[in-house]
Amino acid sequence: MHYDLCRQRVLKWLANSSFAVALFAAAGPAHADGKTLFQQKCAACHSIGGGKLVGPDLQGVVQKRDRAWLTRWIREPDAMLAEKDATAVALLQEYNNVPMPNLGVSEADATAIVAYLETTGGSAPAPTTPAPAPATLPAPTRDEITLGQNLFQGTVRFTNGGPSCISCHHVKNDAVIGGGILAKELTTVFSRMGGPGVRAILGGPPFPVMQAAYLDRAFTDEETQALVAFLQYADREHAYQQPRDYGWGLFIAGVCGVLVLAGLIALLGCRRKKQSVNQSIYDRQIKSE
């Protein structure tokens, strides 16, 4: 009798232990995946308890937003903005009309990110804790601004071989030639995102195209500092800058180019035979008859 009782207790303990191990195993990887996904997808624009970057600080966000709303917002923010979701529109307006990009996050990944926020960022900040004052950034030096300008327009190549910013972006500055129009115009990006926001974007691009462009070709710390310095300078001075107007100069250069090209074609073609060899032979035979 005593043996059977002990045996039942041992079996019960084993069953409970197995359940606990299984529960831990199920919860552990999800938490780890959520953290990894957050670092890959979200950390460039959001912090947890570190203050605002491009987007809001997500400390306590799971207490303010419904879980289903958060999951969908992570998956398809563009669709929610198109639907005029009130919370989504309010966030867009609060954060300088910089929309959260659709990063192609699956529902499973979005669920894992929300689970990570629940475990790590679930608590709201204590009301008595003052927000940390933003660090005062040192004024950029002239050398940093010049290097950033050269990196932006590609006269100096990035160390790891990434494409120059001007391939997709434009910034209004006297020293910069016309830039690309494939992505945002960056003249006032420093005012909209601030130094930490711009630095965060450069350190971990949240945009799929930018991620692909700089995959394994990240900026060095010196390049990041120089680009931030140049964008800060371009933002501050943009009222005094004029976009380059090539006007008649571009037209005259085009006409000259056409004339030079026509002259080269004429020069190369002046020695060409005006008729075929067979035609000459035929003409001689006709004349001899």
Side-chain angles (χ1 to χ4, degrees), residues 60-242:
V61 68
V62 292
Q63 295 180 340
K64 295 188 293 185
R65 312 286 183 217
D66 178 72
R67 182 187 178 93
W69 187 95
L70 268 178
T71 304
R72 191 185 175 212
W73 176 241
I74 294 171
R75 289 179 55 222
E76 44 188 22
D78 50 345
M80 294 180 70
L81 286 171
E83 294 168 5
K84 306 296 182 186
D85 178 275
T87 304
V89 172
L91 285 171
L92 178 68
Q93 294 172 347
E94 181 179 353
Y95 287 90
N96 301 311
N97 291 317
V98 178
M100 177 167 155
N102 187 329
L103 301 176
V105 180
S106 68
E107 184 166 359
D109 287 352
T111 302
I113 292 172
V114 174
Y116 172 67
L117 293 174
E118 287 175 337
T119 56
T120 305
S123 301
T128 57
T129 303
T136 303
L137 297 176
T141 65
R142 170 52 60 182
D143 288 343
E144 289 174 338
I145 294 171
T146 302
L147 175 59
Q149 172 189 306
N150 292 335
L151 290 169
F152 186 92
Q153 58 182 346
T155 54
V156 172
R157 297 300 306 272
F158 288 111
T159 302
N160 294 322
S164 61
C165 310
I166 207 168
S167 303
C168 297
H169 298 279
H170 177 59
V171 63
K172 180 182 173 183
N173 188 273
D174 287 349
V176 177
I177 62 174
I181 56 173
L182 297 176
K184 283 283 186 180
E185 204 270 359
L186 298 180
T187 301
T188 58
V189 69
F190 197 88
S191 294
R192 290 185 282 119
M193 295 186 176
V198 175
R199 191 179 296 276
I201 293 291
L202 294 173
F207 311 109
V209 174
M210 195 171 173
Q211 286 177 349
Y214 294 98
L215 182 65
D216 298 328
R217 292 181 287 188
F219 303 116
T220 65
D221 292 342
E222 181 187 16
E223 291 166 349
T224 299
Q225 174 62 25
L227 288 173
V228 173
F230 170 65
L231 291 173
Q232 181 180 7
Y233 169 78
D235 190 336
R236 188 185 67 214
E237 300 293 328
H238 76 275
Y240 309 105
Q241 305 292 311
Q242 296 294 330

Side-chain angles (χ1 to χ4, degrees), residues 243-258:
R244 287 192 174 186
D245 183 9
Y246 298 98
W248 282 103
L250 180 62
F251 174 76
I252 294 172
V255 171
C256 291
V258 171

